[in-house]
């Protein structure tokens, strides 16, 4: 059987995975720029190159994410909500709740035992509680976003961050710094603030015992710990969690191929 590709064009990154027998055999991650059509092509090209796969071996391409309609060479487009649900269910079959924290929005998705969406809630009105909030605050403290999770875990006296608005939080961070607060303690406060917002979103769809954390912010170990502490439950995270939407998209393509939709 031919391979299936899933391409997730998010607000900040383009992700592509290639599936063979429901296993990820290649992946790529690129920043998204102004030319989404080109970013989607580049995501597929990079993933194919990584595993030396010829384009002709791919029988089905599914697009997801907010930029999915720009993937002109795909056969199917699916919402990222369904794709995160299916991807999380493939990697962690016991998943009943997904929290996806990406660059510009956060989604809580309740999932059936077959990986179908039962209910969802999302925050896409502003950057509060999203990766953007952490990116801006990391920048205000002079850190790269990849550094802030591990640093937050070294906090000894976490500060309370009361602003949920990204702009106000940035100035709150600056004022904590000028009062001599340890950046690690400020970071811990920022992570708790996002965990609190995520918990409210999860409560809107109903807390379930097995939770899977997806999206780029799941790469942040401080966020994983903070969320798990607020939930009072462990959360599933995989090194492929940022690719979960692309994985779900590819999986739906694989099912079409099995059903005889080979191109
Ligand atoms: P989107 O799908 O909206 O483009 P992603 O799911 O790719 O967004 O998530 C992007 C966010 O992930 C960034 O805003 C950033 O906060 C976070 N992120 C990306 N890489 C890392 C990393 N190495 N460590 C911590 N956070 C990260």
């Amino acid at each position: 059987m031919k391979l299936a590709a899933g391409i997730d064009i998010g607000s900040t990154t383009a992700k592509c995975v290639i599936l063979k027998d429901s296993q990820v055999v290649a992946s790529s991650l690129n920043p998204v720029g102004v030319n989404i059509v080109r970013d989607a092509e580049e995501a597929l090209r990079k993933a194919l190159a990584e595993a030396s796969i010829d384009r002709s071996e791919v029988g089905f391409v599914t697009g997801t994410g907010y930029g999915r309609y720009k993937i002109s060479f795909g056969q199917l487009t699916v919402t990222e909500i369904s794709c995160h649900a299916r991807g999380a269910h493939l990697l962690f079959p016991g998943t009943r709740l997904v929290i996806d924290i990406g660059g510009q929005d956060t989604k809580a998705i309740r999932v059936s035992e077959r990986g179908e969406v039962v209910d969802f809630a999302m925050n896409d009105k502003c950057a509060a509680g999203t990766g953007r909030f952490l990116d801006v605050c990391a920048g205000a403290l002079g850190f790269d976003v990849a550094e802030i999770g591990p640093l937050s875990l070294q906090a000894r006296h976490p500060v309370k961050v009361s602003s949920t608005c990204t702009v106000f939080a940035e100035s709150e961070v600056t004022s904590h710094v000028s009062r001599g607060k340890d950046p690690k303690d400020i970071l811990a406060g920022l992570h708790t603030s996002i965990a609190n917002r995520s918990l409210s979103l999860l409560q809107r769809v109903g807390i379930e015992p097995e939770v899977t954390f997806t999206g780029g912010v799941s790469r942040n170990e401080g966020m994983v710990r903070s969320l798990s502490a607020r939930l009072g439950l462990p959360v599933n995270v995989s090194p492929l969690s940022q690719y979960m939407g692309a994985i779900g998209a590819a999986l739906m393509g694989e099912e079409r191929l099995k059903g005889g939709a080979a191109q």
Side-chain angles (χ1 to χ4, degrees):
M1 195 177 81
K2 286 201 169 191
L3 308 178
I7 305 177
D8 176 6
I9 306 292
S11 60
T12 55
T13 60
K15 282 80 59 179
C16 176
V17 302
I18 310 220
L19 281 194
K20 180 179 188 183
D21 298 328
S22 305
Q23 301 285 323
V24 175
V25 292
S27 62
S28 72
L29 179 72
N30 296 327
V32 167
V34 285
N35 190 336
I36 295 177
V37 176
R38 201 176 54 204
D39 294 336
E41 281 164 3
E42 177 62 7
L44 179 60
R45 190 200 62 72
K46 264 180 77 178
L48 292 172
E50 181 197 277
S52 303
I53 297 167
D54 191 78
R55 176 72 178 84
S56 62
E57 293 176 61
V58 175
F60 206 97
V61 178
T62 308
T64 188
Y66 103 107
R68 61 187 177 275
Y69 300 110
K70 299 274 185 178
I71 306 172
S72 48
F73 53 90
Q75 280 85 28
L76 175 71
T77 56
V78 183
T79 72
E80 61 269 32
I81 295 161
S82 300
C83 290
H84 277 265
R86 292 299 311 276
H89 181 260
L90 177 70
L91 266 60
F92 300 103
T95 300
R96 293 294 174 273
L97 190 57
V98 175
I99 176 83
D100 164 31
I101 312 186
Q104 282 180 23
D105 62 22
T106 305
K107 302 179 188 81
I109 310 162
R110 198 142 59 79
V111 175
S112 75
E113 60 192 17
R114 299 218 313 259
E116 292 149 344
V117 177
V118 176
D119 193 11
F120 74 93
M122 66 193 286
N123 153 33
D124 61 351
K125 297 282 181 289
C126 78
T130 71
R132 177 91 187 122
F133 177 92
L134 287 173
D135 300 346
V136 168
C137 294
L141 287 166
F143 296 121
D144 185 86
V145 74
E147 299 175 286
I148 60 172
L151 284 171
S152 73
L153 294 174
Q154 296 168 30
R156 282 190 297 184
H157 307 289
V159 302
K160 188 168 164 33
V161 174
S162 40
S163 314
T164 49
C165 166
T166 307
V167 178
F168 292 145
E170 189 182 10
S171 41
E172 195 177 338
V173 164
T174 313
S175 101
H176 280 309
V177 171
S178 62
R179 274 189 271 126
K181 295 284 184 197
D182 183 335
K184 298 189 205 78
D185 293 336
I186 304 172
L187 286 170
L190 291 165
H191 284 71
T192 302
S193 158
I194 304 241
N196 288 339
R197 284 187 75 90
S198 306
L199 184 68
S200 316
L201 205 62
L202 288 167
Q203 283 166 337
R204 272 167 57 191
V205 296
I207 304 293
E208 293 281 342
E210 188 160 344
V211 184
T212 298
F213 187 4
T214 69
V217 176
S218 65
R219 293 176 68 182
N220 176 328
E221 200 190 329
M223 226 24 261
V224 175
R225 294 261 199 106
S226 215
L227 188 59
S228 168
R230 291 298 291 122
L231 269 168
L233 292 169
V235 291
N236 299 322
V237 189
S238 145
L240 290 169
S241 284
Q242 191 171 12
Y243 298 90
M244 214 61 101
I247 292 170
L251 187 62
M252 290 188 216
E254 193 177 83
E255 287 167 357
R256 299 287 206 289
L257 285 171
K258 281 183 189 149
Q263 301 298 307

